[in-house]
Structure formats: structure tokens, C-alpha cells
Amino acid sequence: MKVFSGRLRPAVLAAGRGLLLSVAGLAASITLFVLAVLSIAFILLGIGVFTTPVVLNAVRKHANQRRLWAVTWSDVRIPVPYRPLPKDLRSGVTGQVERTTLLLKDPATWRDLQWLLIDMTAGTVVAFLAAGLMIYPVEGLVLAAGLWRVFRDDPYWYGFVPVDSQLTGLAALALGIALFRLGMRVSEPLLRAHFLLARTLLAPTQDQELEQRVQRLTETRHEAVDTAASELRRIERDLHDGAQARLVAMGMNLGTIEALIEKDPAQAKKMLAMARESSAEALTELRDLVRGIHPPVLAERGLGDAVKALTLRLPVASEVTVELPGRAEAPVESAAYFAVSEALTNTVKHAEAERIHVDLHHAEGMLRISVTDDGRGGAVIGSGSGLSGIERRLGTFDGVLAVSSPAGGPTMVTMEIPCELS
């Protein structure tokens, strides 16, 4: 019974979602396809210049909603292929013409329109099957319960069963039970098939993926150069203001000690003690500086132990889960380490969390790291935020950052870096 109820709930949920897709999704796809075709046709009359961007943006929102449902309902990931529009588009009629031209030149726009056609036909059929196999059996139950009496004179066909008596009503019930059992098995796969069908057109083509990758790598290369230059300036500043200043002061003190060692041995002894303290402080600062460039624990013991060492210094209760069967390349480990370090620093500063959990694992050629806290939430990736810095750091290695942080929490920062483990 427990197994039956365990299968029933996801099947019923898939049927409800299939019904939504086959009704509301169909209506939206038909409406948007008709509006898009008319709007593009009216460009020749001048009206379409003003309506086309609005309609095509609506089509993209509809497609993005389907992408969201695909990943949340069936774990089918459909990347977004749209080319970003320039931020400096002009206003007025000229700007509308330019915006319309850019949208129509984007291959993803035409693939969206093709998807609307598929969604209206094959996509709707697949979604309706996911719903119908769970809903149609209810009619067989109602017929067997007594509705068959209405059809004594004129048989009602339930599937391939002509219903006009209690016996045929029970046959309809048996057919309904068989369909229901079938629906419990195939409703979820059918819903997933609907999204896989959508992915064939909504996902970027190989050329689009290559174009996006080249664009992303170009951007991250510039960001990596800027970040490296910034890090170099920071190291120079820390050396100049910290260890270098202490070493210079220590050298001056040693010169003074040399002059006092015969005249005033007691004072020379005091200054020697001060010089020893200065040398210890300079050594500590140099160690901290080296740790900021590449922590020794990371080089010696790997990413998992380095992150555990990080959390030991936090003023918040922390837990680290590590499932890494090997080690990534040193640059990847370093980027991941400092990304986690920055994420933990942001959490301690802003989240007001009482507990933090860090999970590191590797699967399908991807290093995945999540930092979760029970704080107040509200974290966003924006200009000037620490999360933007993490995103830039990961982008150098073609990695991605995702943040889920509703108001009131919890917050989950997820990082993914493509790599292989040794």
C-alpha cells in the first residue's frame, strides 16, 4: 500500500502539470504565435516596428517559463540561447527599428516560433496523454457506478467498450483501471518527454553554444586579466605597507643597537627584543600574504581539507561534506577555494546565520560546491556585491554561480566548475 501511494502522488502531480501544459500552455502558444506572425507581417506597414519587440519579448518570457518548469518539474535543463541586447539602444522610432532588427536577426527568435508550432501540436498531445491516462479512468468508474443507465437505448463508447448495461459498465471500469495503472507508470516519463521535445528547439544549437562560449571566454579573459592586476597591486601594497615597512624599521633599529651595544648595553638589549618582535610580526604578515595567494593547506592536503580549515575559523557553527575521489588542477582548486572563502565571508558579514553547511562533490565532469546558511536571505548577484566577484572568478574557468535566497532565508549559493579529477 505504501508503495502504491508512493507512486500515486508523483503520477497525479505529473497529470495535473500535463493538464496545465495542454490547456493553459496551448492557449498561450497559439495566441503568441498568431500575434508574432501578424506583428512581423505588419512591419511592412510600420505598425510592426512598435509591436514586434513587445510580442517577441512575451514569447521569450513564455519560453523561459517553460524552461523553468522543465528543470523544476522534470529536471530537464534547457539553456537560454538569446543574444543580449545592447544597453545603449536609442529611444524613439529609431530605437524601435534597431531593437526589432536585432531581435529578428537572433536565430533563437525563429527557433522560438518553431517551438510554438511544435508546442501547439506534438507537445500538447504528449502533455495531454500524461494527464488523460490519469483522468480518463474516472469516467469508467462513474459509468460503472450507475451512469450506464443513461445509455441503455444508445450505447456510449468508453474507449473500445460500448456501455449500455451493468456488465459493460464493469468492463469500462476494468479498462479504466488498466489505463490508470498505465498512467501511474508513464505520466512522469510523458511529462519529461514533453520537455525533452521542447529542448530540441528551445536549447541553443551547436553554433550558438560555440558563439556563447567564445563570448563568455572573451569576457572572462578580460575579467581574469583585471583580477590578476588587482591582486598584484594588493600584494604590492601589502608588502610595502606591512612586511617591508617592518623590515626597514628593524634594519634601523639594528643600526641603533650597533651604536649602543658598548655605550648602553641595557638599552641595546631592549631594542634587540623589539627587533625580534618586529621580525616575528613581519614573518606572520608574510605567511598571511602567502596564504592569501595560495594557502599551504590547499597545496598539501587538497580542496576538501582546505575548506574545512576555513570553516574552523568561522564564528558560526559549520559543517562540511566532501565527496571528492581525487584532486582537480591547482588553478581550479585555488579558484574554488577562494570562491568558497568569499561566500563564507559574505555569509558571516550579512546573513546573520546560526549555521552554515558546505557541500563539495564531483559528478559528470563538474565540481559542484554549495554553501547553505539559515540566515535572513535576500542575497542577490549585483554590481559591486561579493557574489559578483565570485561569479567573475568562476567565469575564468567557464564555471557558473547560482543563488537561491528568498527573503527570510535560507540561502544557497551553488558553484559549478567543469573539471576532471586526478
Side-chain angles (χ1 to χ4, degrees), residues 85-153:
L85 294 176
K87 296 180 180 179
D88 57 347
L89 285 175
R90 288 169 285 187
S91 58
V93 177
T94 305
Q96 286 295 109
V97 172
E98 190 176 357
R99 190 175 287 104
T100 301
T101 303
L102 290 171
L103 287 171
L104 294 179
K105 283 184 176 180
D106 190 345
T109 297
W110 302 103
R111 288 175 63 82
D112 280 354
L113 296 180
Q114 293 176 46
W115 165 70
L116 290 177
L117 279 173
I118 296 298
D119 191 56
M120 287 187 281
T121 51
T124 298
V125 170
V126 174
F128 185 77
L129 278 175
L133 288 173
M134 296 294 292
I135 297 172
Y136 190 51
V138 176
E139 187 178 352
L141 176 63
V142 174
L143 286 169
L147 187 63
W148 62 269
R149 293 183 175 86
V150 178
F151 306 106
R152 282 178 175 174
D153 299 328

Side-chain angles (χ1 to χ4, degrees), residues 40-360:
I40 293 172
F42 287 159
I43 289 177
L44 297 175
L45 302 177
I47 303 173
V49 171
F50 300 96
T51 59
T52 298
V54 177
V55 174
L56 292 183
N57 283 329
V59 170
R60 291 187 173 189
K61 287 182 180 179
H62 179 50
N64 285 335
Q65 181 63 59
R66 195 61 57 91
R67 290 184 177 94
L68 178 62
W69 285 344
V71 71
T72 54
W73 290 355
S74 296
D75 198 27
V76 175
R77 299 181 181 275
I78 307 176
V80 178
Y82 307 121
R83 294 174 180 172
L85 294 176
K87 296 180 180 179
D88 57 347
L89 285 175
R90 288 169 285 187
S91 58
V93 177
T94 305
Q96 286 295 109
V97 172
E98 190 176 357
R99 190 175 287 104
T100 301
T101 303
L102 290 171
L103 287 171
L104 294 179
K105 283 184 176 180
D106 190 345
T109 297
W110 302 103
R111 288 175 63 82
D112 280 354
L113 296 180
Q114 293 176 46
W115 165 70
L116 290 177
L117 279 173
I118 296 298
D119 191 56
M120 287 187 281
T121 51
T124 298
V125 170
V126 174
F128 185 77
L129 278 175
L133 288 173
M134 296 294 292
I135 297 172
Y136 190 51
V138 176
E139 187 178 352
L141 176 63
V142 174
L143 286 169
L147 187 63
W148 62 269
R149 293 183 175 86
V150 178
F151 306 106
R152 282 178 175 174
D153 299 328
D154 186 14
Y156 175 80
W157 287 88
Y158 178 75
F160 55 82
V161 177
V163 179
D164 58 0
S165 65
Q166 184 63 59
L167 182 62
T168 54
L170 292 175
L173 176 61
L175 176 59
I177 292 173
L179 291 175
F180 188 78
R181 296 289 296 184
L182 178 63
M184 286 183 61
R185 290 181 177 274
V186 303
S187 286
E188 287 183 278
L190 283 172
L191 185 67
R192 182 177 175 82
H194 169 88
F195 292 123
L196 290 173
L197 182 63
R199 189 170 67 179
T200 60
L201 285 168
L202 289 182
T205 62
Q206 190 172 6
D207 290 342
Q208 288 175 313
E209 286 183 343
L210 182 60
E211 181 183 344
Q212 287 180 338
R213 183 172 176 80
V214 169
Q215 183 179 3
R216 178 173 175 79
L217 289 176
T218 302
E219 292 173 355
T220 54
R221 183 190 64 185
H222 292 315
E223 291 171 354
V225 171
D226 293 341
T227 300
S230 176
E231 286 290 307
L232 183 59
R233 287 194 297 270
R234 180 187 67 80
I235 293 169
E236 291 174 345
R237 184 175 62 250
D238 290 348
L239 281 172
H240 182 272
D241 297 342
Q244 180 179 326
R246 291 189 184 280
L247 291 173
V248 169
M250 189 171 64
M252 295 173 65
N253 287 339
L254 289 173
T256 305
I257 291 168
E258 188 178 8
L260 291 175
I261 199 165
E262 294 181 358
K263 297 179 182 178
D264 192 350
Q267 182 65 24
K269 188 176 180 179
K270 289 181 181 179
M271 295 192 70
L272 274 173
M274 292 172 58
R276 186 172 62 251
E277 290 178 4
S278 294
S279 67
E281 290 174 356
L283 182 60
T284 300
E285 288 185 358
L286 285 172
R287 283 174 176 167
D288 290 340
L289 185 62
V290 170
R291 189 179 295 113
I293 299 171
H294 193 79
V297 67
L298 179 62
E300 295 167 6
R301 303 182 61 180
L303 181 61
D305 286 340
V307 171
K308 288 179 180 178
L310 264 180
T311 58
L312 288 176
R313 298 198 295 266
L314 296 179
V316 180
S318 305
E319 180 184 356
V320 181
T321 304
V322 180
E323 294 180 12
L324 298 176
R327 294 191 59 175
E329 294 180 354
V332 174
E333 281 193 336
S334 181
Y337 173 85
F338 286 110
V340 173
S341 176
E342 195 161 352
L344 292 174
T345 301
N346 288 340
T347 300
V348 172
K349 281 184 178 180
H350 308 296
E352 299 177 3
E354 296 181 357
R355 191 164 190 83
I356 299 173
H357 180 259
V358 183
D359 177 77
L360 300 92

